[in-house]
Amino acid sequence: MPAPIEDDWSDSDDELATGVQTDVLLGVPDGSVESETDIKDVAVSRIGGLPAFLPSREPPFSSSQCKVCSNAMELLVQVWCPFEESPMDRALYIWGCAHSSCQRQVGSIRAWRGLRYNAAYAATLEKKEARKLAQQTPPNPSQHSSPTANPFSMGGTVVPMAFGLGDQIFRELTNDAPNQSHQVQDDDHSDTDSIGSSASEHSLVTAMASVTLRDSIWTATPSYPAMYLSTMSEYIPQSPKAKIPGNARIEDPAEDDGKTGKKATWALEGYENSLEVDNVFDRFTKRVGYTGEQCFRYQLKGTPLPFASDKVFESLFPAPPQDSLSVTRTGYNVAPTAKRSYSTASIPSCRSCRSNRVFECQLMPNLINVLRDSVIDKDADVRKLTDEQRIKAVQDALKRAKEPGSRGMEWGTCMVFSCERNCCLDEGGKNSKECWEEEYVLVQWDE
């Protein structure tokens, strides 16, 4: 089982477990999407490109408009991410505005979730629940039937994790199940049951067809070249132990006898200046550095990875009250340093059902590089350029980025917080079979 990462925050990297696989799933680019079928398939997660919608009714075009300049934004990421125990198929869409005047403004990054009821998968969930209830029913002592299984065996019901889709979370399709929606795990079946029902359930659980964008206003929206978004589990490697040479000499500036006062002062100033270093950013870069190509982090109901010690960090990891130090005649009673704890108290509740929102995912800085490079490659057809021509193409792009009215995103990370109930309500507040809801986004900007 993956090792959990603590919700407490500490400036010390020593408290971050190493040599473990975490619960975080990382999204990385995996080549251009050139198949027209995959482009239209809502269950194919992507970076850039045009959206493939899940609800049968086309969402309003205003969903992609920047709240600052009102222009249509490019799709940054589309992720296929249904909740495992929910009958709703689900996709998440994140748009971003690249106009320089809109950077650092609320509403320049927006996220929406599309839901649609999957009757076939709902029937599968009902059957699984019925089997669980049947297994919990006490046996009738008047019936003397021979046991069909060893009551002491380990072959009982497998309880999945809260979101246990593993590498299938972002819908990496397999050849034998090209249209399967939710991942089906019928571990409760006996061998005889699986022979008769597995095939039928497999054929019933199919993904809902996405809305075609033909003759739609969405086809005219600006877009980056589409790339596949593949996933991998985050792994934090074992930290190498630093070895001090046997002939090394360790000096303490505090023991300076006055002859080298200048050196001692320099060492003290260096230590004091180091207090101004953003330890949150240092920890962010160290954590991300283990898998530098990551563009996306997913951990439903997990803990976001803060980019810097700004107001967003203070709201998500509020500082605890500090106890005053008491001094006695026998010595000093020093209180241990209190840790910051992760809290969503500052996150607005779901505007539809008023439930709490939980962290779901965040965009990483490398996504900006990937999107920028894809545009350069598209404009210059880099595969046909020499090294000198490629360098010039990159320099020209950077020069254009500094001009008035230029385009370019400047965020450090964008965190998405979603309704923990995954509600799907109509305008009257009643349950609906499909919906289109905006989620809450917190952005930490690159200073």
Side-chain angles (χ1 to χ4, degrees):
M1 178 180 296
I5 296 298
E6 298 293 333
D7 288 347
D8 291 335
W9 178 265
S10 171
D11 289 336
S12 174
D13 290 329
D14 296 336
E15 298 189 15
L16 183 63
T18 59
V20 299
Q21 178 177 306
T22 74
D23 290 331
V24 179
L25 288 175
L26 305 179
V28 297
D30 193 19
S32 301
V33 180
E34 298 179 356
S35 168
E36 191 67 21
T37 301
D38 287 349
I39 292 176
K40 295 180 180 179
D41 190 348
V42 66
V44 173
S45 295
R46 67 203 65 182
I47 296 173
L50 294 174
F53 293 117
L54 187 59
S56 60
R57 292 175 296 179
E58 189 175 279
F61 183 72
S62 58
S63 302
S64 69
Q65 289 180 318
C66 174
K67 289 187 176 181
V68 181
C69 66
S70 299
N71 291 319
M73 300 184 290
E74 288 90 348
L75 180 69
L76 303 181
V77 168
Q78 175 179 330
V79 182
W80 175 253
C81 48
F83 289 9
E84 185 177 7
E85 298 301 326
S86 170
M88 309 297 289
D89 284 337
R90 183 175 184 271
L92 189 68
Y93 308 79
I94 305 176
W95 278 275
C97 184
H99 288 91
S100 59
S101 59
C102 298
Q103 302 308 298
R104 307 178 188 279
Q105 302 292 325
V106 176
S108 60
I109 306 289
R110 302 179 68 180
W112 296 77
R113 60 181 164 94
L115 299 177
R116 185 169 179 178
Y117 183 73
N118 188 327
Y121 191 71
T124 299
L125 292 177
E126 291 179 2
K127 291 173 64 177
K128 292 178 67 175
E129 184 64 25
R131 286 196 297 274
K132 290 181 181 179
L133 293 176
Q135 292 175 355
Q136 296 173 1
T137 303
N140 187 344
S142 63
Q143 297 178 353
H144 301 283
S145 57
S146 58
T148 59
N150 182 353
F152 302 105
S153 69
M154 299 295 291
T157 301
V158 176
V159 181
M161 295 174 11
F163 197 83
L165 296 187
D167 288 340
Q168 294 296 321
I169 175 179
F170 297 149
R171 197 61 187 122
E172 294 178 1
L173 302 179
T174 57
N175 294 330
D176 58 341
N179 293 320
Q180 185 174 344
S181 173
H182 287 66
Q183 183 182 21
V184 182
Q185 296 177 342
D186 274 337
D187 295 328
D188 299 339
H189 274 110
S190 64
D191 292 340
T192 55
D193 290 338
S194 62
I195 294 175
S197 63
S198 179
S200 60
E201 289 185 0
H202 184 275
S203 62
L204 285 174
V205 184
T206 57
M208 297 297 182
S210 62
V211 176
T212 177
L213 295 182
R214 183 179 302 172
D215 300 328
S216 167
I217 189 175
W218 287 97
T219 59
T221 59
S223 64
Y224 298 106
M227 287 172 282
Y228 290 104
L229 181 65
S230 296
T231 62
M232 63 176 65
S233 296
E234 181 187 45
Y235 178 77
I236 300 178
Q238 187 72 36
S239 299
K241 294 182 179 180
K243 295 183 179 180
I244 301 177
N247 60 349
R249 180 182 178 184
I250 302 176
E251 296 182 352
D252 187 356
E255 298 178 356
D256 178 46
D257 58 3
K259 296 180 180 180
T260 56
K262 189 174 181 179
K263 284 187 177 181
T265 304
W266 175 87
L268 182 60
E269 289 178 349
Y271 175 77
E272 291 177 344
N273 290 338
S274 69
L275 297 178
E276 300 299 326
V277 174
D278 190 339
N279 292 309
V280 178
F281 178 74
D282 285 351
R283 191 173 186 180
F284 178 91
T285 55
K286 181 177 180 180
R287 183 79 173 268
V288 174
Y290 296 129
T291 310
E293 65 269 28
Q294 63 181 277
C295 296
F296 189 78
R297 294 175 66 90
Y298 192 99
Q299 188 186 23
L300 183 66
K301 298 183 180 180
T303 305
L305 181 63
F307 176 76
S309 54
D310 56 5
K311 293 182 179 179
V312 173
F313 171 76
E314 293 291 341
S315 66
L316 294 177
F317 298 88
Q322 296 288 341
D323 295 332
S324 58
L325 301 181
S326 59
V327 180
T328 65
R329 298 180 62 181
T330 57
Y332 296 93
N333 293 329
V334 181
T337 303
K339 294 182 179 180
R340 294 174 180 265
S341 296
Y342 170 61
S343 172
T344 57
S346 61
I347 304 299
S349 59
C350 174
R351 62 180 183 179
S352 296
C353 69
R354 312 310 302 173
S355 296
N356 293 330
R357 280 193 171 104
V358 295
F359 172 75
E360 182 171 3
C361 60
Q362 65 187 106
L363 306 182
M364 305 305 289
N366 188 47
L367 178 61
I368 298 177
N369 299 328
V370 170
L371 294 173
R372 181 182 61 228
D373 291 345
S374 68
V375 172
I376 294 175
D377 290 353
K378 180 182 178 181
D379 292 343
D381 195 1
V382 175
R383 290 172 295 183
K384 300 179 181 179
L385 297 182
T386 64
D387 290 342
E388 291 77 9
Q389 291 173 325
R390 176 181 173 81
I391 293 174
K392 186 177 185 303
V394 173
Q395 291 175 341
D396 291 343
L398 294 176
K399 182 179 179 180
R400 291 195 300 268
K402 298 180 180 180
E403 297 175 353
S406 62
R407 294 169 52 80
M409 293 175 288
E410 301 175 4
W411 42 263
T413 188
C414 306
M415 309 172 187
V416 178
F417 297 82
S418 305
C419 173
E420 65 176 354
R421 288 183 54 195
N422 198 34
C423 68
C424 189
L425 308 176
D426 59 20
E427 295 180 357
K430 297 181 179 180
N431 289 329
S432 176
K433 290 191 174 182
E434 61 179 39
C435 63
W436 180 253
E437 293 289 342
E438 186 167 13
E439 297 295 15
Y440 188 74
V441 178
L442 269 182
V443 182
Q444 288 189 287
W445 301 97
D446 187 8
E447 299 296 339

